[in-house]
Amino acid sequence: MSKPIIAVVGRPNVGKSTLFNRLIGERRSIVEDTPGVTRDRIYGETEWRGRTLVMIDKGGIEPKTDYIILAQMLNQAQIAIDTADVIIFVCDVHTGVTANDRDIATMLQKSRKPVVPCINKCDRTGHTPLEFYEFYELGFDCDPIPVSSVHGSGTGELLDACLDALPEDIEDDDDEDDCIHVAVIGKPNAGKSSIINRFVGAERMIVSNIAGTTRDSVDTSVENEHGKFTFIDTAGIRRQSKINDKIEKYSVLRAHMAVERADVCLLMIDATAGVTDQDEKIAGIAHESGKGVIIVVNKWDLVEKDNKTVKEFTDQIRTALAYMPYAPIIFVSALTGQRLPNIYALISKVQNSRTMRVPTGVLNDVLGEAMMRTQPPSDKGRRLKIYYMTQNAVAPPTFVLFCNSIELFHFSYQRYIENCLRDTFGFEGTPIRMIIKQKGDD
């Protein structure tokens, strides 16, 4: 990722996520008046003075803590700092300079990265609070910038200061057309973050055995011999009845939004729990959105196996997810790395299926052969006639069939035509949409 990267850091509850959302112009990070809501690194992009900037929102830094989640958040903050070209250090003008602010400032100065101090909650336009001047004592080269993330004042000056602080050798790279966006979806604690950590070979996500650790949708870029991939880790989707607080509700909404942004979805199923009702509902989100789907059975190393185990588990999945027989199934272990490298080739194959376009002439040859093998249905002496078929869209592949009667075109015959298309062209991992139009009577 060669676009300039700017990390937004600071202690908890100083308004980092509100500022991040303001800078990128959308509600990407969860904003709640509760310290520690943002845990992982959240990525977004903004444009300023003709340049595209990649922004990273980071969970609040607690420099000295023994609590496992906060300790991992601190580790994530260090990774964000190491990755960034410029760091926005957010402080709260109402509290003044705190001991934690001083500790974080020392941490940032040791990184030797350009730092722009951002003094948030300066909400009165044209008035700089006396407390603002305390922040000069932190000793950064750049002067502090007074900002109101709620009202947006000062954000232009903040981005100006970030661009001025950028190293001169940073160049933009907008070549992302060939990047496949992959949403990792599933129940809480199915291993979504663990599998992405395996892909990137680093602790990109906070991983713990506490269900619901990941709350936001998080993007991770990977490039290898198989191509370019952006993995979107989503908060585990819980049953609606178990979503008790506002933060959890935001996370479910974010998971739906992550699916909308994706090309292909990895549906994570916990092998130790089997296929549950919740897995069926989550799969339905991807299916209804027309996304490519790969069913990833994780924790396969924990299952006692014999020569029938794979077939029995496959049959269980096919029965529970009968509406998506097109989705390939792969059995993996995020813990040991078993079969994980095979997922890249599978993602590329599914994406190629989603974007495949078949010439109209070839389509109608297949349609003619299908109708010769199995005649269209009839009712009361009147038989269905299909005049021709054409493909009008990709991602997912969408076909329009013109016939003499929509009523005669039973769902079962639509499924038969779809199966003929799959037998001929593959379309592995992608749903197929069929639009039936009535051209006219005999």
Side-chain angles (χ1 to χ4, degrees), residues 265-335:
C265 295
L266 300 183
L267 173 62
M268 301 289 295
I269 293 178
D270 185 340
T272 62
V275 185
T276 66
D277 292 343
Q278 190 68 357
D279 291 319
E280 296 178 34
K281 292 176 183 177
I282 296 167
I285 295 172
H287 175 75
E288 293 298 326
S289 299
K291 308 300 180 178
V293 178
I294 299 169
I295 300 170
V296 181
V297 183
N298 190 27
K299 307 182 184 179
W300 195 238
D301 55 312
L302 302 180
V303 175
E304 292 187 14
K305 294 175 278 289
D306 56 34
N307 57 0
K308 296 180 181 178
T309 309
V310 170
K311 182 182 184 305
E312 289 173 352
F313 209 101
T314 300
D315 291 344
Q316 180 189 352
I317 292 173
R318 293 304 183 202
T319 301
L321 306 180
Y323 54 86
M324 52 167 56
Y326 55 82
I329 302 171
I330 184 169
F331 296 86
V332 306
S333 168
L335 184 64

Side-chain angles (χ1 to χ4, degrees), residues 37-188:
V37 167
T38 306
R39 294 172 173 177
D40 288 308
R41 284 165 287 156
I42 314 298
Y43 288 78
E45 290 188 0
T46 190
E47 289 191 12
W48 190 253
R49 284 173 23 192
R51 301 200 66 177
T52 300
L53 308 174
V54 177
M55 313 294 298
I56 308 176
D57 181 22
K58 187 57 219 81
I61 301 175
E62 291 278 8
K64 298 169 184 175
T65 179
D66 294 325
Y67 179 50
I68 182 171
I69 294 290
L70 288 176
Q72 291 189 54
M73 287 167 62
L74 178 59
N75 184 43
Q76 290 288 305
Q78 186 61 60
I79 295 172
I81 290 166
D82 293 341
T83 306
D85 300 303
V86 175
I87 299 160
I88 296 176
F89 176 26
V90 185
C91 300
D92 183 345
V93 73
H94 295 157
T95 61
V97 179
T98 68
N100 276 355
D101 288 330
R102 292 188 179 92
D103 290 342
I104 296 169
T106 301
M107 178 180 174
L108 297 179
Q109 285 160 346
K110 288 179 180 177
S111 73
R112 300 188 181 279
K113 296 289 181 74
V115 177
V116 178
C118 168
I119 316 307
N120 194 23
K121 305 184 184 179
C122 295
D123 298 331
R124 289 181 60 186
T125 305
H127 172 76
T128 303
L130 290 176
E131 294 83 357
F132 169 82
Y133 298 100
E134 293 180 21
F135 293 92
Y136 278 91
E137 75 174 68
L138 296 175
F140 293 108
D141 293 336
C142 178
D143 288 340
I145 309 292
V147 166
S148 170
S149 57
V150 173
H151 301 114
S153 60
T155 52
E157 291 82 352
L158 181 65
L159 290 174
D160 283 339
C162 290
L163 285 180
D164 293 342
L166 275 175
E168 294 181 0
D169 58 346
I170 299 296
E171 295 181 358
D172 290 352
D173 179 13
D174 293 320
D175 185 21
E176 291 190 0
D177 293 340
D178 55 349
C179 182
I180 303 174
H181 289 76
V182 184
V184 185
I185 61 177
K187 295 185 306 180

Side-chain angles (χ1 to χ4, degrees), residues 154-363:
T155 52
E157 291 82 352
L158 181 65
L159 290 174
D160 283 339
C162 290
L163 285 180
D164 293 342
L166 275 175
E168 294 181 0
D169 58 346
I170 299 296
E171 295 181 358
D172 290 352
D173 179 13
D174 293 320
D175 185 21
E176 291 190 0
D177 293 340
D178 55 349
C179 182
I180 303 174
H181 289 76
V182 184
V184 185
I185 61 177
K187 295 185 306 180
N189 216 28
K192 299 180 295 299
S193 296
S194 296
I195 207 168
I196 293 182
N197 285 345
R198 271 282 179 176
F199 285 147
V200 301
E203 292 189 3
R204 171 62 180 79
M205 307 291 170
I206 293 174
V207 179
S208 77
N209 59 3
I210 304 169
T213 301
T214 305
R215 284 179 170 174
D216 279 296
S217 301
V218 187
D219 294 359
T220 301
S221 296
V222 176
E223 185 173 356
N224 56 30
E225 66 273 16
H226 299 284
K228 297 178 181 178
F229 305 87
T230 297
F231 290 95
I232 309 166
D233 185 28
T234 61
I237 307 174
R238 297 176 181 272
R239 292 180 183 273
Q240 202 69 28
S241 60
K242 293 186 177 180
I243 303 175
N244 296 320
D245 61 18
K246 285 167 56 179
I247 295 170
E248 196 72 37
K249 289 179 181 177
Y250 285 145
S251 297
V252 174
L253 177 61
R254 224 44 122 285
H256 284 263
M257 292 169 62
V259 170
E260 290 299 323
R261 291 170 50 215
D263 302 307
V264 178
C265 295
L266 300 183
L267 173 62
M268 301 289 295
I269 293 178
D270 185 340
T272 62
V275 185
T276 66
D277 292 343
Q278 190 68 357
D279 291 319
E280 296 178 34
K281 292 176 183 177
I282 296 167
I285 295 172
H287 175 75
E288 293 298 326
S289 299
K291 308 300 180 178
V293 178
I294 299 169
I295 300 170
V296 181
V297 183
N298 190 27
K299 307 182 184 179
W300 195 238
D301 55 312
L302 302 180
V303 175
E304 292 187 14
K305 294 175 278 289
D306 56 34
N307 57 0
K308 296 180 181 178
T309 309
V310 170
K311 182 182 184 305
E312 289 173 352
F313 209 101
T314 300
D315 291 344
Q316 180 189 352
I317 292 173
R318 293 304 183 202
T319 301
L321 306 180
Y323 54 86
M324 52 167 56
Y326 55 82
I329 302 171
I330 184 169
F331 296 86
V332 306
S333 168
L335 184 64
T336 66
Q338 179 186 22
R339 282 188 284 274
L340 286 186
N342 299 342
I343 292 180
Y344 288 113
L346 206 49
I347 292 170
S348 297
K349 185 176 183 180
V350 169
Q351 178 63 359
N352 289 337
S353 294
R354 288 188 77 238
T355 56
M356 182 189 302
R357 190 174 286 278
V358 183
T360 300
V362 178
L363 275 179

Side-chain angles (χ1 to χ4, degrees), residues 404-436:
N404 63 332
S405 171
I406 293 177
E407 288 76 18
L408 289 174
F409 209 136
H410 299 158
F411 172 77
S412 58
Y413 203 73
Q414 290 183 40
R415 178 58 59 87
Y416 166 68
I417 297 295
E418 178 182 329
N419 289 338
C420 290
L421 292 173
R422 292 191 185 279
D423 291 342
T424 306
F425 304 109
F427 290 119
E428 183 176 11
T430 181
I432 289 177
R433 299 268 171 84
M434 304 187 79
I435 301 171
I436 312 302

